[in-house]
Amino acid sequence: MPDATDRNAEDREMERRRKRAVFLCEMDEAKALRERVQPRRARANRMRQQMRMRTFRW
């Protein structure tokens, strides 16, 4: 019986990872599309992010 439970847990984990991979891929595509459609705004956002990272203290 524990073997079936382990397999079920593995299946759920694999499905979760697959969904996460699809989500991350779609998010990257959306970011790329946004940068192509609004290059000025995307550049400003990149600059703001770089400034945040420069001023962030570890």
Side-chain angles (χ1 to χ4, degrees):
M1 195 70 174
D3 188 35
T5 306
D6 291 343
R7 195 170 295 133
N8 192 15
E10 288 175 10
D11 289 345
R12 276 185 281 154
E13 181 67 17
M14 285 175 47
E15 180 67 15
R16 186 188 71 80
R17 287 178 188 227
R18 186 189 65 77
K19 285 182 181 179
R20 183 174 188 273
V22 169
F23 170 76
L24 292 175
C25 183
E26 290 175 352
M27 189 170 69
D28 285 343
E29 289 174 2
K31 284 181 183 179
L33 177 63
R34 198 175 304 122
E35 286 181 8
R36 283 195 307 271
V37 173
Q38 301 174 338
R40 192 174 301 150
R41 190 177 296 172
R43 182 173 185 268
N45 287 339
R46 271 197 313 275
M47 294 296 178
R48 278 190 217 99
Q49 177 65 19
Q50 288 173 356
M51 185 58 76
R52 268 188 241 122
M53 294 308 288
R54 273 190 226 125
T55 58
F56 182 76
R57 297 206 186 254
W58 293 98

